[in-house]
Amino acid sequence: MKKIRLIVALFACCNMFYAQERTLDFNFDWKFTLVKETGIPATLPLDDASWKDIRLPHDWSVEASFSEDFDGATGYLPGGVGIYQKHFDTPANSDSKNVFVLFDGVYNNATFWLNGKLLGENPYGYSPTYFNLTKALKTDGSKNILTVHVDHSRYVDSRWYTGSGIYRNVKLITVDKLHIPIWGTFVTTPEINNDAATVQINTKIKNDYSKNHNIKVVTKIIDNQGVTVALQEKETKISSGKEIELSQSLEVANPKLWDIEHPNMYKVITDILVKGKITDSYTTPFGIRSLLFDKDNGFFLNGKSTYVKGICIHHDGGLVGVAVPKGVWRRRLQILKDGGVNAIRTSHNPFSQEFLDLCDEMGILVQNEIFDEMDNPKDKQLNKNEQSEQYITKGYTEHFQKWGESDLKRTMLRDRNHPSVFQWSIGNEIEWTYEGYKHVSGLWEPGVGGYWNKIPQLTKEEMIARYKALPERKFMLAETAKRLSKWVKELDQTRPVTSNLIIPVASLASGYADALDIVGFSYQTNQYAWSKKNYPDKLLTGSENSGSWQDWNSIIENPMVFSMYMWTGIDYMGESHKKWPQKGWDGDLLDFAGFKKQGWYYFKSIWVNKPHVSIGTMPLTNSGFERDSLSGKAVATSAKVLNWNNSKANMHWNYKPGELVVVEVPTNNHVVELFLNNRSLGSRSLSDNPDRILRWIVPFEAGTLTAKAGFKGQEVESILKTTSAAVAIKLSTDKTVLNSDGYDVAHVVAQLIDKDGLEVKTEEASLKFDVDGKVKVLGVDNGSNKSIQDYQSNKITTYKGRALLLVQSLKEKTGYIKIKATAPRLKSNLVTLQTK
């Protein structure tokens, strides 16, 4: 033990004197301009003296005003063509170094140059990419100029808001010519028990020197307390110009497992030494955890049966567009987790490195989805196979044949060490674009009544025969899926391959599902039993769901169906073709500003194992319910209104005197009693309500509405009170101290309140945020999906009585920031922030 400690101390010392910081933040001090022409400039670099000074990440689309002249498929915001340039010094001692630039995401059709020399391109806006700058760097002491041309003139190239520009982080990576390449490690944990875990580490090492080297590789594992828990040395030889892969197996005693409740993280630090000197040091965060998927019994995390309580989300963050600060994601993910969410499906593309880092840290599972299009294009405005060819809607299909393997593998190499990533999804509802799948299912034929959640009338054999009888086609989905699955398995065999199938019965018959380890069903929960009967060896589960009790009940009643991913967890811009002024999709749990919606309370009632009761209200008129003439109870006019994401419930008790109001109470208590001004309105039971939402029809009377439930000692209640007119604005913030790093953010919420301090949710005010201090105003939002007010502003009209201001620290700017809101006839308190 003394020997190991001595070695660790010595190498810590070596790191201090010889190891170089590999990665430099490359987000600051960029120049940017929009141009009209889509063509590449003839001469580069360009004169950028008059260009806009910006810092990354940057989304130029969200800086524009919403306009009906644009398309709702991508949120009524423009695309265009932008050019970025950055001036920087050549790193010191570059003659013995390799210098790379790493882009986590550029949307899209990006081309890169250094000092006018072409580095390469990357059409896909969601895949990370990097370039070797070494040979193009200046050697005369003058500044280098990195140029990035981004062509998003085909701005309706997706079915949701994509954003435009260098919208994710950029890093400059400087390494010795003997080094571990970018994404050069792969850490797995093949054997785990209570006493020990085997950690398998595969490390690539590259020698760009003109001579061979004898090297020593020292690998240590550090736990989340900074303690070294395993160490191993290995000596080997690497030839000039070669890359080798080294395999090491280390044992960690008494491992702290990564799971949803205790997301314990470790680090592998790999040092490369030549003659006692460290040439490179590479850090790989990872978690120790096991995954088991059983076709009959579902999913087990670390041997524990686990329900996946998932949501689908897109990658925008409201007022910041797709250039989402880490603090915005942290706030949203924490609210979601508080509501019981334990998994995210990245719809329908890879998310950022930062997002996955947060999921690792917070204990959230991730289904990492790669593509929404493959061989054939989707119609971006109507979500089906392409109806008409337009320049502005040309999307990823234009690049898939050439770039598909590279985009998938670069994404996987970046992401495969994240313990949060537990599935790879190769695609989403791809069947729409392959001719014949509707015919194969038989669900579109007269008398069936539509494909939506219908049990097939054809037999398995009849579907297979129909598929085999289809005419010859250029692209066959089953073959494409097998190719993608093969690419995944080449890089990672520790996680299953899945896909979201919109016509699963046809996909099972065609062989598409044979390329998958897990067959993901998009909404078709009624087809589980039929599919399991006909394909008993398949593992079936939900990967996109509507948000009804039936969806969740399908998991409880069928152990094999372990997951539900509700569409969608957060409101997102786009998918709103010809719906002006509605700029986006109305989701379930959080709105555009990250405020809780009534659906958050509904899902918390089933996903969090604590007593819960909450209240929602809505006028009986147009509610989807009727009052039973005998019992007086609320009766649904159609099953559709029992889907929780279709609820129109408000979170207030303000209506006209005598107006009939539906009171909804989502709960996990068996019985709830409702009171109005201390008068009991009777009890309701979960046994009488198939969607687990209790309802009363109540003539409105001003005062206090109270729902009570629970046994003695475990009582819970929820209260709504009638409010009077707003007299003030109450400001609150999630943070009062910001790091002066240029990244940290604070969410300042303005809420209208009445004379009693109650939140007013039925009155609006146009207000202005006054910000005094060294901080950047990122923008404002009110959460409404019909609000087309500019995000880049300090003025906003509230929605449901509230609004959000988002501010961000400035790099190396410290001090106090004072924020207040002004509006006619309304007072405001003062919020003080400090940056340090």
Side-chain angles (χ1 to χ4, degrees):
M1 180 60 72
K2 289 183 179 179
K3 183 179 179 181
I4 291 176
R5 286 176 178 170
L6 179 60
I7 291 172
V8 171
L10 287 174
F11 285 116
C13 178
C14 289
N15 270 297
M16 184 184 300
F17 288 105
Y18 297 109
Q20 165 184 330
E21 182 67 34
R22 287 173 56 106
T23 302
L24 176 70
D25 184 337
F26 222 46
N27 286 336
F28 292 87
D29 303 319
W30 285 76
K31 293 280 192 175
F32 171 74
T33 189
L34 284 170
V35 297
K36 294 182 179 180
E37 301 79 13
T38 60
I40 302 297
T43 303
L44 289 169
L46 300 172
D47 180 2
D48 56 20
S50 63
W51 294 10
K52 182 179 179 181
D53 293 315
I54 64 156
R55 53 144 292 190
L56 306 178
H58 175 241
D59 174 5
W60 80 67
S61 291
V62 81
E63 296 174 348
S65 296
F66 294 97
S67 172
E68 194 173 5
D69 293 336
F70 303 123
D71 200 293
T74 46
Y76 296 106
L77 288 171
V81 179
I83 304 177
Y84 297 84
Q85 289 196 159
K86 181 174 174 65
H87 301 242
F88 66 101
D89 293 322
T90 296
N93 302 318
S94 59
D95 55 336
S96 63
K97 305 294 182 184
N98 282 350
V99 182
F100 300 87
V101 63
L102 170 62
F103 293 86
D104 200 41
V106 183
Y107 207 90
N108 63 349
N109 297 305
T111 311
F112 307 82
W113 298 264
L114 180 63
N115 300 323
K117 181 178 180 180
L118 179 66
L119 299 172
E121 59 180 327
N122 194 47
Y124 195 34
Y126 300 111
S127 59
T129 191
Y130 65 88
F131 302 99
N132 191 334
L133 307 181
T134 310
K135 293 181 179 179
L137 288 169
K138 294 286 187 70
T139 58
D140 60 1
S142 61
K143 294 277 189 180
N144 298 283
I145 302 178
L146 180 63
T147 307
V148 183
H149 182 275
V150 184
D151 181 1
H152 194 205
S153 55
R154 294 169 287 276
Y155 79 99
V156 195
D157 58 351
S158 189
R159 298 177 296 109
W160 56 86
Y161 177 76
T162 63
S164 301
I166 308 178
Y167 70 103
R168 293 181 183 169
N169 291 321
V170 181
K171 298 176 182 178
L172 190 73
I173 298 173
T174 304
V175 295
D176 191 272
K177 290 188 180 297
L178 180 58
H179 64 277
I180 299 170
I182 295 169
W183 311 321
T185 60
F186 185 29
V187 182
T188 58
T189 53
E191 296 181 19
I192 304 172
N193 57 50
N194 291 333
D195 298 322
T198 299
V199 180
Q200 183 69 32
I201 306 165
N202 291 348
T203 306
K204 292 181 179 179
I205 303 170
K206 197 169 191 304
N207 180 14
D208 285 330
Y209 282 107
S210 58
K211 61 179 181 179
N212 303 337
H213 277 291
N214 294 315
I215 63 173
K216 180 185 288 186
V217 180
V218 179
T219 301
K220 54 189 174 184
I221 298 176
I222 299 175
D223 69 11
N224 55 10
Q225 301 299 314
V227 177
T228 299
V229 295
L231 185 147
Q232 186 180 105
E233 299 179 18
K234 200 165 188 177
E235 294 186 356
T236 189
K237 183 177 181 178
I238 182 169
S239 301
S240 170
K242 298 296 183 180
E243 181 177 282
I244 63 172
E245 185 166 338
L246 194 68
S247 180
Q248 295 174 285
S249 182
L250 283 74
E251 184 176 283
V252 174
N254 304 312
K256 305 172 187 176
L257 301 186
W258 185 97
D259 63 22
I260 296 164
E261 296 176 355
H262 305 96
N264 297 299
M265 293 292 292
Y266 288 82
K267 290 180 182 179
V268 171
I269 298 180
T270 308
D271 293 334
I272 311 298
L273 292 90
V274 176
K275 296 179 180 179
K277 178 182 178 181
I278 294 179
T279 67
D280 195 18
S281 184
Y282 192 100
T283 300
T284 308
F286 75 101
I288 298 175
R289 54 103 176 99
S290 67
L291 307 174
L292 174 65
F293 297 86
D294 184 275
K295 66 182 178 65
D296 298 314
N297 299 300
F299 170 55
F300 295 80
L301 177 61
N302 299 327
K304 179 182 178 181
S305 179
T306 302
Y307 288 148
V308 174
K309 305 169 184 177
I311 59 167
C312 306
I313 57 174
H314 280 303
H315 73 144
D316 66 303
L319 68 92
V320 292
V322 298
V324 188
K326 193 173 183 178
V328 170
W329 276 130
R330 184 185 296 278
R331 170 180 175 256
R332 293 179 174 217
L333 290 178
Q334 187 60 60
I335 296 172
L336 291 170
K337 190 163 186 179
D338 291 344
V341 173
N342 65 17
I344 303 288
R345 173 172 167 240
T346 64
S347 316
H348 303 289
N349 48 262
F351 279 27
S352 68
Q353 169 81 37
E354 275 191 330
F355 183 88
L356 296 181
D357 289 342
L358 277 172
C359 290
D360 288 346
E361 175 189 332
M362 301 176 72
I364 299 174
L365 297 165
V366 176
Q367 183 185 108
N368 199 328
E369 195 155 84
I370 311 296
F371 298 124
D372 188 56
E373 287 184 315
M374 294 179 186
D375 301 309
N376 304 310
K378 286 185 178 178
D379 190 291
K380 312 306 187 298
Q381 296 149 333
L382 302 176
N383 190 23
K384 55 178 70 173
N385 57 302
E386 189 174 68
Q387 305 298 292
S388 63
E389 187 172 327
Q390 306 174 56
Y391 175 81
I392 61 170
T393 63
K394 287 184 179 294
Y396 184 66
T397 292
E398 302 284 316
H399 307 290
F400 177 70
Q401 303 304 327
K402 178 181 178 180
W403 288 88
E405 180 178 5
S406 175
D407 287 323
L408 179 146
K409 287 187 173 180
R410 277 181 280 122
T411 298
M412 287 188 62
L413 287 170
R414 184 197 65 177
D415 296 348
R416 63 181 179 171
N417 290 317
H418 288 277
S420 58
V421 175
F422 81 128
Q423 296 174 335
W424 301 110
S425 173
I426 58 175
N428 167 63
E429 297 185 354
I430 301 295
E431 302 102 308
W432 288 139
T433 67
Y434 290 83
E435 187 177 356
Y437 271 68
K438 292 181 181 180
H439 170 70
V440 168
S441 72
L443 296 173
W444 274 261
E445 295 177 1
V448 177
Y451 79 98
W452 199 261
N453 232 351
K454 300 297 180 181
I455 298 175
Q457 296 183 1
L458 299 179
T459 66
K460 167 187 173 181
E461 291 71 24
E462 287 172 326
M463 288 189 196
I464 293 174
R466 284 192 173 198
Y467 180 75
K468 290 181 177 179
L470 290 175
E472 186 174 345
R473 299 161 318 279
K474 181 178 180 181
F475 298 113
M476 298 178 67
L477 176 53
E479 297 304 316
T480 297
K482 288 174 184 176
R483 192 164 74 250
L484 268 65
S485 184
K486 174 178 174 289
W487 295 339
V488 172
K489 298 297 185 183
E490 286 173 358
L491 293 183
D492 182 16
Q493 297 184 27
T494 70
R495 300 171 177 89
V497 178
T498 188
S499 190
N500 186 44
L501 311 184
I502 190 62
I503 318 176
V505 293
S507 295
L508 286 159
S510 73
Y512 172 23
D514 292 338
L516 310 174
D517 300 309
I518 299 175
V519 181
F521 278 53
S522 190
Y523 301 102
Q524 317 295 354
T525 54
N526 285 344
Q527 295 174 9
Y528 286 144
W530 185 95
S531 299
K532 189 64 176 178
K533 178 181 178 181
N534 286 280
Y535 299 91
D537 294 329
K538 297 295 185 186
L539 200 165
L540 315 174
T541 192
S543 50
E544 188 168 322
N545 302 88
S546 62
S548 67
W549 168 249
Q550 177 191 6
D551 294 325
W552 183 245
N553 199 44
S554 69
I555 297 174
I556 295 174
E557 294 185 349
N558 297 282
M560 67 174 183
V561 184
F562 60 88
S563 70
M564 167 183 171
Y565 290 91
M566 182 227 317
W567 191 267
T568 172
I570 308 176
D571 292 0
Y572 62 91
M573 288 190 285
E575 207 162 345
S576 194
H577 181 58
K578 293 186 177 179
K579 294 180 180 178
W580 178 265
Q582 180 177 317
K583 64 175 183 268
W585 187 273
D586 192 7
D588 296 271
L589 303 187
L590 306 181
D591 65 20
F592 286 98
F595 295 140
K596 296 174 186 176
K597 304 175 73 170
Q598 187 66 14
W600 184 89
Y601 297 93
Y602 294 169
F603 278 90
K604 183 179 180 182
S605 72
I606 61 165
W607 280 355
V608 176
N609 190 25
K610 293 180 180 179
H612 174 85
V613 63
S614 56
I615 301 175
T617 66
M618 56 186 167
L620 178 62
T621 304
N622 298 321
S623 67
F625 292 90
E626 295 176 342
R627 187 180 189 184
D628 182 80
S629 58
L630 294 177
S631 67
K633 294 183 177 180
V635 179
T637 57
S638 76
K640 194 173 183 179
V641 300
L642 299 180
N643 275 17
W644 299 338
N645 61 353
N646 286 335
S647 173
K648 303 170 186 175
N650 303 306
M651 289 182 275
H652 66 73
W653 186 237
N654 283 67
Y655 295 94
K656 297 176 182 178
E659 182 178 5
L660 293 180
V661 179
V662 179
V663 177
E664 292 190 337
V665 177
T667 185
N668 49 19
N669 294 274
H670 184 63
V671 176
V672 175
E673 187 173 8
L674 187 69
F675 296 84
L676 177 58
N677 295 327
N678 295 319
R679 301 192 314 273
S680 175
L681 302 181
S683 298
R684 298 283 189 267
S685 168
L686 288 182
S687 59
D688 298 326
N689 293 271
D691 62 344
R692 296 176 66 89
I693 299 176
L694 311 184
R695 295 180 179 86
W696 290 256
I697 296 180
V698 181
F700 176 73
E701 174 186 309
T704 302
L705 194 65
T706 308
K708 293 183 178 182
F711 296 103
K712 185 175 181 180
Q714 296 180 324
E715 296 91 347
V716 290
E717 69 176 18
S718 180
I719 297 174
L720 286 181
K721 292 185 178 182
T722 305
T723 59
S724 55
V727 298
I729 303 166
K730 180 182 178 181
L731 296 184
S732 61
T733 178
D734 62 339
K735 297 184 77 172
T736 57
V737 179
L738 300 178
N739 292 322
S740 58
D741 56 6
Y743 292 103
D744 209 1
V745 295
H747 297 78
V748 180
V749 176
Q751 174 66 59
L752 303 185
I753 58 173
D754 70 4
K755 60 182 176 58
D756 298 314
L758 300 175
E759 296 182 354
V760 176
K761 301 179 181 179
T762 56
E763 186 178 338
E764 311 304 345
S766 295
L767 56 85
K768 177 185 176 184
F769 289 101
D770 294 319
V771 180
D772 181 17
K774 297 176 181 178
V775 72
K776 181 179 180 180
V777 173
L778 291 179
V780 291
D781 195 3
N782 63 15
S784 170
N785 72 341
K786 290 184 172 64
S787 172
I788 50 174
Q789 302 171 87
D790 286 354
Y791 281 143
Q792 305 283 309
S793 177
N794 66 338
K795 297 178 181 179
I796 189 78
T797 299
T798 61
Y799 175 63
K800 297 183 179 179
R802 64 188 172 187
L804 172 71
L805 169 74
L806 187 66
V807 296
Q808 186 174 53
S809 68
L810 297 173
K811 191 175 182 180
E812 299 176 352
K813 301 291 186 181
T814 61
Y816 289 91
I817 299 97
K818 296 180 179 180
I819 301 172
K820 68 176 182 177
T822 58
R825 299 181 300 279
L826 298 177
K827 298 178 181 179
S828 169
N829 63 310
L830 185 71
V831 165
T832 300
L833 310 179
Q834 184 182 9
T835 55
K836 61 181 183 179

